Structures are given as structure tokens and as C-alpha cells.
Amino acid sequence: MHTTVTPFTLAPWKEGRRPDVRSGWRGTSPEFGEIVLTCPLPRVVPESVVSEARGGLLPVTTFESRGIHVENLRLPTLNRATLRVGDRHVYLARNRIGATLVQRALQLRHAGDAYRLAALDRRGYTLTRAADDEDPGVTVTVRESGRGKGARLAVRAEGGRAEAADLALALIFAGVDRSALTRVGAVKAGARRVAELWAEASY
């Protein structure tokens, strides 16, 4: 289903007790219904951290990082990641040595469509579905503002009409450590990656 998406916001939520605490973002899209982003899910598999977006008309979407390096991570990262929309695997690729935000953008392919996830800064990003002969494409912008209970996640779609998968793919990255897509984050991610490789070699 392609539809025009009214801008909407998600608010932070948290419930449960350790070790089953769940938290993330929650809100309602007029077109797609109530949406819940859990980041991360309670950990049930060793060396795995997973964030999940679901609700309303969205397909269940998960982003998982695996490896011994994830044990101390709060969110999954772009390293050793697996992204799924429903039962479909999403192909991911990025240029780790890109000099600009555009060059470092994450490239995705889902159900024959090409996407690009690019950082605006450390608190905002865009997901763009490329145009083709039958569709003009669409860009979904997601930006976090505020702090603590006053934080909000603003979501806006521009361009063509959006699909449920477009929105699900855009939202799941609010539950992912995207720092490697920014200039400063890329340097820190490189240093962290060296530490990860050293830890694995010593394991």
C-alpha cells in the first residue's frame, strides 16, 4: 500500500523489571496505526542484541548485531548486522572510509527497491527509496529532540507516497547505533572496531 504519510511523533516508553526491562519509542501514525519500537529487546541469545519495530500496518522489522563485541553494547551497531522486514532479508553495504556523509551512507536493498540511509547529524537521519520508472521514490526524515521523558522522535515523509516497508525501515534505525555514519562517529567506530578484533583474537 502506497499512501501519503502525515507527520507524526513518537515518545519514549519503558516498562518491566530487570532483566526483562523493555524500552524504546511509541506513537501513532494516522495512516499506519500504533507503532512500537523496542530498543533493544530483552536479551535471550548470547552475543546478540536486537531492536524491533512493529505495530499497526507495519511489517515486523528487526535489526540484529551478533558477536562477542555486543555484550556491552546498549544498541545494535552497523557491524555484523542482520536486518529483516517480515520474513525478507535486507541487503546492507557501506563505505567505511567515505569522507562525506553521503559517501558513508548505508546502502540497502529490499524487495527490489534501493534505499540510502544518511546521517544529518548524530540525532537525525534520512532514509531515501530511489525513484524508478513506476515510482518517484520517497524520503523519510527521522529526528530526535529533547531529553529524558521530554524526548520526541519526529517522523516526516516527503516526495512520493510511502509504503509500510519504507516507514518500518526508517524507524528501525532509531533503535540502532548509527554513529559510524557521522564524521566524528566514524573515527570512534574505527577505534572500537580495532578493539573488537583484538578481543575476538584473544577469545
Side-chain angles (χ1 to χ4, degrees):
M1 178 183 74
H2 290 71
T3 187
T4 300
V5 178
T6 304
F8 64 95
T9 61
L10 304 181
W13 66 276
K14 185 175 183 179
E15 61 186 29
R17 296 182 179 180
R18 293 183 179 180
D20 296 319
V21 174
R22 293 173 180 261
S23 63
W25 299 93
R26 176 181 289 159
T28 302
S29 160
E31 292 77 28
F32 291 95
E34 184 178 4
I35 296 167
V36 178
L37 176 62
T38 306
C39 45
L41 293 171
R43 302 194 186 202
V44 295
V45 178
E47 300 181 5
S48 171
V49 59
V50 184
S51 288
E52 176 191 79
R54 65 162 61 228
L57 300 177
L58 298 189
V60 176
T61 301
T62 59
F63 191 103
E64 177 184 24
S65 291
R66 296 184 66 91
I68 63 171
H69 69 284
V70 309
E71 292 301 313
N72 297 316
L73 296 180
R74 186 177 70 85
L75 294 173
T77 70
L78 300 179
N79 292 330
R80 299 190 180 183
T82 300
L83 174 58
R84 289 187 175 86
V85 176
D87 59 358
R88 288 178 177 266
H89 178 81
V90 180
Y91 172 78
L92 305 173
R94 64 189 175 96
N95 179 5
R96 296 174 183 270
I97 61 173
T100 67
L101 293 177
V102 172
Q103 290 172 346
R104 284 194 295 274
L106 184 67
Q107 307 298 322
L108 305 86
R109 181 164 290 277
H110 166 66
D113 290 320
Y115 294 83
R116 183 185 71 224
L117 182 87
L120 297 172
D121 50 42
R122 68 185 183 85
R123 305 192 77 189
Y125 60 93
T126 60
L127 179 82
T128 301
R129 172 164 49 82
D132 57 31
D133 294 337
E134 301 178 354
D135 193 287
V138 67
T139 295
V140 181
T141 301
V142 181
R143 178 172 287 281
E144 183 181 350
S145 62
R147 299 288 182 182
K149 293 182 179 180
R152 293 294 182 268
L153 200 67
V155 184
R156 184 179 74 252
E158 298 175 302
R161 295 174 178 268
E163 299 178 352
D166 300 335
L167 199 55
L169 282 169
L171 288 172
I172 192 63
F173 284 98
V176 174
D177 181 348
R178 308 176 308 278
S179 59
L181 301 181
T182 66
R183 291 180 177 88
V184 174
V187 174
K188 292 181 178 179
R192 186 169 60 239
R193 181 59 177 160
V194 171
E196 291 170 3
L197 292 172
W198 180 86
E200 291 175 4
S202 303
Y203 185 71

